[in-house]
Amino acid sequence: MVNNVATLGRNGVHDFILIRASAIILALYSLFMLGYFIISDDVTYESWTALFACLPMKIFTILAVLAVLFHAWIGIWQVLTDYVKSTALRGFLQFIFTITLFVYVAAVFLTVWGV
């Protein structure tokens, strides 16, 4: 049996499920935020801080950011695999995108838990 080393043990079904699950989480988070802006009369710094101070909102935000991470990681991998034929360039670009995504996630963790 031939294994694809670039997938890190994933397969198409696993990627499909991760993409769909992350899309659902992102849709729910977007709808929640839209509802918050529609329902709130005036969004001030105090109301915004109070929203993100509660633990369920912190967890929901972290979950949404992790969903973005998985969604982007799989999407970038698929695009680079399809369009970048040079293995060295593809590996370098995947490395850069992966580091960038993890820096974004770390920044969100620090921001959310700093409130």
Side-chain angles (χ1 to χ4, degrees):
M1 174 162 59
V2 177
N3 289 328
N4 188 353
V5 179
T7 63
L8 300 174
R10 295 188 333 248
N11 60 27
V13 174
H14 186 256
D15 288 349
F16 178 84
I17 291 170
L18 276 175
I19 288 285
R20 295 319 182 262
S22 64
I24 290 169
I25 292 168
L26 292 172
L28 291 173
Y29 191 80
S30 298
L31 289 173
F32 174 80
M33 293 306 290
L34 181 66
Y36 177 78
F37 284 118
I38 290 172
I39 291 172
S40 297
D41 293 332
D42 188 27
V43 179
T44 62
Y45 175 77
E46 291 77 22
S47 66
W48 192 250
T49 306
L51 173 67
F52 282 94
C54 64
L55 185 62
M57 187 61 193
K58 288 182 180 186
I59 292 171
F60 194 26
T61 301
I62 297 295
L63 187 63
V65 169
L66 290 175
V68 168
L69 172 76
F70 289 128
H71 203 90
W73 189 329
I74 294 170
I76 288 169
W77 176 81
Q78 289 176 344
V79 168
L80 291 177
T81 302
D82 288 344
Y83 295 109
V84 180
K85 298 304 176 193
S86 169
T87 306
L89 179 60
R90 185 173 57 240
F92 175 73
L93 290 173
Q94 284 177 334
F95 176 75
I96 294 299
F97 283 124
T98 301
I99 295 299
T100 304
L101 287 172
F102 279 116
V103 167
Y104 289 162
V105 170
V108 169
F109 268 95
L110 293 173
T111 303
V112 168
W113 291 108
V115 173

